[in-house]
Amino acid sequence: MTNDNSAEVLDYLRRTSIELIETRKRLQELTDAAAEPIAVVGVACRYPGGARSPEDLWELVRTGADAVSEFPQDRHWDLEGLYDPDPDRPGTCYTRSGGFLDGAADFDAEFFEINPREALAADPQQRLLLETAWESLERAGIDPHTLRGSDTGVFAGLAYFGYGNHHHTPEVISGYAQTGSLLSVASGRVSYALGLEGPAVSTDTACSSSLVTVHQAVQSLRQGECGLALAGGVTVMATPQVFREFARQRGLSADGRCKAFADAADGTGFAEGVGVLVLERLSDARRNGRRIWAVIRGSAVNQDGASNGLTAPSGPAQQRVIRAALANARVQAGDVDVVEAHGTGTTLGDPIEAQALLATYGQDREPGSPLWLGSLKSNIGHTQAAAGVGGIIKMIMAMRHGVMPRTLHVDRPSTHVDWSAGAVELLTEAREWTTAPGRPRRAGVSSFGASGTNAHLILEQAPEEEPAPGPAPEPDVLGTAGPLPWVLSARSEQALRAQAERLRAFVTADPAADPAGIAASLVSDRARFEHRAVVLGSGRDGLLDALASLAGGAENPAVVRGTATESGGTAFLFPGQGAQWTGVARELCAAFPVFARTLDEVCARFDTHLPFALRPLLLADEPEGAGRTDVMQPALFTLQVALYRTLTRYGPRPDRLIGHSVGEIAAAHVAGALDLDTATRLVAARGRTMQAVTEPGAMLAVGAPRAEVERLLDGSTRVGIAAVNGPASVVVSGLREEVHALRDRLLAEGRSVKLLPVDHAFHSP
């Protein structure tokens, strides 16, 4: 082999090795992305028993409340003719109870700009899903308006369709009845109302619908189809048909209660509900500073296939889906502490599910560490398409509080289950949720559809926040030295009062609520509407009094009300050189941690470009050299950047940025056109160069139109227009002697002029 051939072979091997390394790296990235944990960053729900939030639902299960009630009176059901204790009587059911949502038909159509006819035609499930989707985003600290045009996905689970009478459509809703009843429109309506451009999918797998949609959202996020996802499900029983059908199958509980895994189990009790999760890849959630409620480690979906009946559950299929979810999550069965079961309370389904859990989670566990088993259905009934997401929310709250709540209505564990076949125990009492040191709490959640579609999900406790390198920063909240503003807005005056009352009730119920944190959240994380109010107070009691006045429509000097008109956007103006910077930084640093951190960061960069320390000058009341250009310009730049970061931390970002003189550099930096190193170097050089100019200059503000000033300067070579500030406001700049002469001439003519307190002819010819 010649030397030339050897060189070619070595070059080939080198290139092949590099390509192999790059291929392995890319493969690892794809493998990691396919299993990246998904963060739950927002949660909203409505369930029976008045549970209108995750906190309400937790209080309901924590206290062991039973939310089952009699059939509602406001749905035009023939309640007398519907009930009959004889299960064989056609067209009847042998229960009078279930879990129902109060005000299921209520809807704020005006809020979503939906006309009354369309709102009337829309299935209450569509309306509830839309409202809850909005709430979930606000609870995630995301203004829904900011998602317009984004690739956010919507994954909605529903099991009922065909709302309304489709044999005859009343004229009042004609043209809207079809879209008002389609399952596909449930997810599409959310995307349309919020302007979301990611996948919008409505899924019906009966009782497993909402857990399947969460699985779909997880997959979509991992594959990069969307950057944020709304996932959940909704059930509203507009008719009593499901009760009649299950009565004929002897599948109903006579008292409407689900006695999950109990010997007394006698059938399921149907219920309503809605739940929506906001999901985001864990890496994105951390980068975006989200509050992480919990993490989805993995999930799986499968089908019974040709089992022993279309609607009969399949134990082997349930085992397979559990094992697939564990593999997807990359955890072992022994790493999971508790399972929120499907647990409907049927005499057929519960024993099959329990045996599947015993065969999977119940094997090879550490002594004294059984799998604990419970079911939300024992509290609120079987919410069908909203059941799976309800189980997730229950487990999220249980993780956060460190308690596994008990399952109700258990006389004793079912004797139809061989509980000795594995280490699985029923939660007949609430238990503290403890784990081995360093291991997060984990839960499995199951949902099995009557269609044969099964889903299982592995949920994990939210990770500890990753500490930033260096010393821990101070809490980034508003200072409390002076009055705090609480900003509220709504679509109408009535809604604004209701908003004030809800906030007052929330703060009253939580003595530990931080007034400064609430102020920051209200102004930075919520959508803004035309009816607005600001309540001011120096402490909790003052703020609560002002809220009470606003809620009651009473006058109070601490309440400012108004109606905003539509604007063309917000612009921030960064001004040029002046003496306005002296003495202002110290109080801002004390009141706003974000201001102090930014000031320190910018001053540290200037220290490498300036022959003096900038920070002490900014914090002094009477700084030395305050009138020097090489001091003023770095000082102004630092203050402007710190003020911008503070304003955008507690309020919306501007639509436009405008800069004048040194303010142009500050505007270019915060817009992202210049990095901080480049910007500080440029400002320092600019100030140093201007300070080195020895020729005396001056600037003069003239109250006259530009055209008239140009005529006055005709023929002058050492004085020119420096700035046009308005239709009759112009600044001229140039040689000091000539500027002073121009001033004297204009004063003699009775014109309005003023010399600016500068020693240089900035922006002169």
Side-chain angles (χ1 to χ4, degrees):
M1 182 180 288
T2 66
N3 289 335
D4 288 344
N5 287 339
S6 297
E8 290 178 2
V9 170
L10 288 172
D11 181 62
Y12 171 77
L13 291 174
R14 187 182 301 109
R15 285 187 288 106
T16 303
S17 298
I18 293 172
E19 289 174 358
L20 181 59
I21 292 170
E22 291 177 347
T23 300
R24 285 177 174 172
K25 180 182 177 182
R26 178 59 179 154
L27 180 60
Q28 187 63 49
E29 289 174 352
L30 292 172
T31 302
D32 292 343
E36 181 175 4
I38 300 300
V40 181
V41 298
V43 184
C45 65
R46 299 181 192 177
Y47 284 101
R52 299 183 64 84
S53 69
E55 292 78 15
D56 289 346
L57 184 65
W58 172 248
E59 185 64 15
L60 187 149
V61 297
R62 184 191 68 81
T63 59
D66 181 347
V68 172
S69 62
E70 293 186 351
F71 286 168
Q73 302 281 335
D74 60 353
R75 302 198 183 181
H76 304 289
W77 295 0
D78 179 8
L79 298 182
E80 291 298 322
L82 178 62
Y83 173 76
D84 195 293
D86 180 5
D88 292 321
R89 183 177 175 185
T92 66
C93 68
Y94 53 88
T95 184
R96 290 191 174 103
S97 302
F100 298 95
L101 291 175
D102 295 332
D106 296 345
F107 180 59
D108 190 349
E110 183 182 356
F111 181 88
F112 293 103
E113 298 179 342
I114 297 175
N115 73 61
R117 293 176 59 220
E118 184 176 5
L120 186 63
D123 188 328
Q125 296 179 128
Q126 293 186 16
R127 306 191 303 235
L128 275 171
L129 189 71
L130 181 56
E131 290 185 337
T132 311
W134 181 281
E135 290 174 12
S136 70
L137 288 169
E138 286 206 325
R139 291 179 66 89
I142 300 171
D143 177 354
H145 292 145
T146 64
L147 296 179
R148 187 166 296 276
S150 71
D151 64 353
T152 301
V154 180
F155 301 85
L158 301 92
Y160 294 120
F161 73 98
Y163 176 72
N165 182 351
H166 292 271
H167 297 288
H168 170 72
T169 301
E171 185 58 31
V172 69
I173 61 170
S174 179
Y176 296 110
Q178 183 74 6
T179 54
S181 64
L182 291 175
L183 293 185
S184 60
V185 175
S187 57
R189 190 183 292 279
V190 174
S191 294
Y192 172 77
L194 303 183
L196 312 179
E197 298 179 4
V201 182
S202 297
T203 298
D204 175 11
T205 59
C207 317
S208 60
S209 296
S210 61
L211 206 60
V212 169
T213 66
V214 174
H215 170 79
Q216 291 172 327
V218 167
Q219 297 299 98
S220 184
L221 286 163
R222 285 175 171 172
Q223 293 169 12
E225 288 181 333
C226 57
L228 194 74
L230 305 178
V234 59
T235 293
V236 175
M237 295 176 285
T239 74
Q241 179 68 3
V242 67
F243 292 100
R244 289 192 290 256
E245 283 293 300
F246 264 72
R248 296 306 297 274
Q249 297 178 21
R250 307 294 199 277
L252 285 181
S253 167
D255 63 3
R257 289 165 175 82
C258 297
K259 306 170 186 71
F261 305 105
D263 216 33
D266 60 347
T268 198
F270 286 113
E272 303 172 328
V274 58
V276 176
L277 309 177
V278 184
L279 305 178
E280 192 170 31
R281 289 180 289 271
L282 180 59
S283 57
D284 291 340
R286 281 174 160 160
R287 183 169 57 253
N288 293 327
R290 310 283 194 213
R291 172 196 183 194
I292 299 174
W293 294 62
V295 168
I296 298 172
R297 284 293 302 268
S299 60
V301 170
N302 75 357
Q303 236 286 336
D304 291 347
S307 60
N308 62 340
L310 174 62
T311 61
S314 167
Q318 292 179 17
Q319 292 183 41
R320 289 195 299 272
V321 80
I322 289 170
R323 291 191 176 103
L326 288 167
N328 184 255
R330 301 181 179 183
V331 299
Q332 301 297 315
D335 297 326
V336 176
D337 309 305
V338 60
V339 163
E340 171 62 22
H342 188 56
T344 59
T346 61
T347 54
L348 175 64
D350 280 10
I352 291 175
E353 180 177 8
Q355 294 296 161
L357 292 168
L358 286 160
T360 50
Y361 283 110
Q363 307 304 308
D364 302 321
R365 300 187 71 87
E366 292 291 328
S369 298
L371 176 84
W372 294 101
L373 183 60
S375 177
L376 174 63
K377 295 177 181 68
S378 70
N379 298 94
I380 64 174
H382 185 359
T383 56
Q384 304 163 85
V389 69
I392 293 175
I393 296 170
K394 171 190 168 182
M395 285 293 98
I396 288 174
M397 301 305 290
M399 285 179 179
R400 294 172 69 83
H401 288 86
V403 175
M404 295 180 284
R406 71 186 180 103
T407 295
L408 308 185
H409 315 308
V410 179
D411 53 343
R412 60 177 177 172
S414 174
T415 55
H416 298 290
V417 176
D418 180 8
W419 297 100
S420 66
V424 175
E425 293 189 24
L426 197 55
L427 281 164
T428 55
E429 296 294 336
R431 300 184 65 90
E432 183 182 0
W433 194 336
T434 58
T435 62
R439 184 173 77 74
R441 300 177 180 122
R442 293 195 186 97
V445 182
S446 289
S447 276
F448 308 130
S451 63
T453 298
N454 310 304
H456 191 75
L457 179 143
I458 308 299
L459 195 69
E460 185 174 281
Q461 182 181 2
E464 296 290 333
E465 291 188 16
E466 294 183 339
E474 299 177 47
D476 190 13
V477 297
L478 292 164
T480 55
L484 284 171
W486 283 359
V487 181
L488 297 93
S489 72
R491 291 279 195 192
S492 66
E493 177 66 26
Q494 182 181 2
L496 184 63
R497 292 185 184 183
Q499 187 91 277
E501 178 55 35
R502 283 195 297 272
L503 179 57
R504 191 190 68 81
F506 169 80
V507 177
T508 301
D510 184 5
D514 175 28
I518 292 172
S521 180
L522 287 171
V523 78
S524 61
D525 298 340
R526 299 181 69 85
R528 290 170 300 283
F529 300 105
E530 55 270 29
H531 289 271
R532 301 180 184 181
V534 179
V535 298
L536 294 166
S538 297
R540 174 189 175 90
D541 292 342
L543 288 162
L544 286 174
D545 288 343
L547 281 176
S549 298
L550 177 58
E555 292 297 322
N556 188 319
V559 178
V560 180
R561 297 179 179 87
T563 303
T565 57
E566 188 174 347
S567 68
T570 305
F572 281 8
L573 172 63
F574 295 76
Q577 183 169 320
Q580 68 270 28
W581 65 275
T582 57
V584 303
R586 190 175 64 253
E587 290 185 8
L588 289 170
C589 282
F592 301 99
V594 64
F595 184 94
R597 288 198 300 271
T598 304
L599 185 136
D600 289 345
E601 179 188 2
V602 178
C603 285
R605 304 297 177 92
F606 270 124
D607 285 346
T608 63
H609 306 305
L610 298 176
F612 54 86
L614 181 60
R615 190 176 186 277
L617 298 179
L618 283 165
L619 298 179
D621 286 331
E622 297 181 4
E624 185 179 350
R628 292 171 54 91
T629 297
D630 57 343
V631 174
M632 275 198 284
Q633 294 201 359
L636 283 170
F637 175 88
T638 303
L639 285 177
Q640 290 175 357
V641 173
L643 281 170
Y644 176 84
R645 291 191 187 175
T646 304
L647 289 170
T648 53
R649 166 62 183 85
Y650 300 116
R653 292 182 177 274
D655 302 294
R656 297 170 182 82
L657 300 171
I658 306 170
H660 171 64
S661 190
V662 69
E664 290 183 81
I665 304 175
H669 164 61
V670 300
L674 296 175
D675 62 38
L676 188 56
D677 283 325
T678 302
T680 52
R681 186 167 65 251
L682 179 59
V683 170
R686 188 177 189 270
R688 190 165 53 247
T689 302
M690 290 298 299
Q691 186 63 32
V693 174
T694 58
E695 189 174 35
M699 300 182 74
L700 180 71
V702 181
R706 174 176 181 169
E708 188 173 338
V709 174
E710 286 176 338
R711 287 195 299 271
L712 291 171
L713 298 178
D714 188 29
S716 176
T717 60
R718 303 303 303 274
V719 178
I721 293 178
V724 180
N725 295 332
S729 179
V730 177
V731 177
V732 298
S733 177
L735 191 66
R736 182 181 298 172
E737 290 182 0
E738 294 194 19
V739 170
H740 284 196
L742 177 63
R743 177 200 59 179
D744 296 339
R745 177 155 53 104
L746 292 175
L747 282 174
E749 295 176 2
R751 295 182 181 274
S752 173
V753 295
K754 181 181 180 181
L755 279 173
L756 302 186
V758 294
D759 295 326
H760 298 285
F762 297 104
H763 311 291
S764 59

